[in-house]
Amino acid sequence: MKPIGFETHDHLGCVADTMQAAETRCAEKKLHFTPVRRRVLELLLEKHRALGAYDILETLAAEGLGSQPPVAYRALDFLVQNGFAHRIEALNAYTACTRPDHDHVPAFLVCRQCRAVAEADTEITRGSLGRAARETGFVIEQVMIEAKGLCPECARAEA
């Protein structure tokens, strides 16, 4: 599946579909999708960019949704634990999951300049990492794949 994040696409539809998938999953799993959690997901979806917790907190505070760091961190923890967002380790930031409707192993293409993030599915079990794990009897529980570079727009600007 083509990575979502750098290409031109129906962004309003993307946001609406992702929010609907989150609503549906929360209803199915009886999860409490609070206004703060909902707003944090909307913020992460706005531009397909990685945001730090304090970037999010700044907006929440301006909108009267809370001004203490635990407000943002609790919402982010909920979103990550339930597959609605991912933590981008290289940036110490978060991005919305572009495929919250199914379990997957994401890989991230992270622009070092503008912090845009594209998410792609990977097939870890079919690749060399999966093969190495099988050959050694290792059980993979979590994989983080992050590639840093320049998004198409920043690469064009730099050229």
Side-chain angles (χ1 to χ4, degrees):
M1 188 177 276
K2 187 175 179 183
I4 296 175
F6 298 147
E7 81 285 352
T8 302
H9 67 287
D10 176 11
H11 189 63
L12 292 178
C14 170
V15 171
D17 291 348
T18 302
M19 291 303 293
Q20 183 58 53
E23 294 278 351
T24 301
R25 186 179 236 174
C26 284
E28 289 171 355
K29 293 188 173 195
K30 297 181 179 22
L31 301 171
H32 194 54
F33 201 32
T34 66
V36 171
R37 291 170 176 172
R38 183 183 323 274
R39 183 63 182 130
V40 171
L41 182 55
E42 288 170 348
L43 291 171
L44 293 174
L45 284 166
E46 281 181 357
K47 296 182 182 174
H48 292 296
R49 296 205 180 331
L51 296 174
Y54 283 89
D55 299 323
I56 292 166
L57 185 60
E58 187 176 304
T59 301
L60 294 177
E63 295 176 359
L65 292 172
S67 60
Q68 298 299 315
V71 172
Y73 282 111
R74 280 194 297 263
L76 289 164
D77 286 346
F78 171 87
L79 295 173
V80 170
Q81 288 173 4
N82 290 288
F84 305 128
H86 301 288
R87 186 167 189 277
I88 305 297
E89 300 289 331
L91 299 175
N92 191 25
Y94 299 83
T95 189
C97 178
T98 58
R99 296 175 174 92
D101 55 339
H102 71 279
D103 292 332
H104 60 285
V105 178
F108 301 101
L109 307 173
V110 182
C111 181
R112 65 174 164 75
Q113 193 163 323
C114 72
R115 296 172 64 113
V117 176
E119 179 180 343
D121 281 340
T122 61
E123 291 290 334
I124 297 300
T125 57
R126 294 184 185 172
S128 57
L129 181 60
R131 188 172 36 260
R134 281 190 305 280
E135 289 171 359
T136 62
F138 184 80
V139 177
I140 297 174
E141 294 177 344
Q142 183 179 6
V143 176
M144 302 295 289
I145 301 172
E146 299 175 5
K148 287 178 84 175
L150 292 173
C151 71
E153 190 173 314
C154 290
R156 279 191 297 275
E158 200 170 274

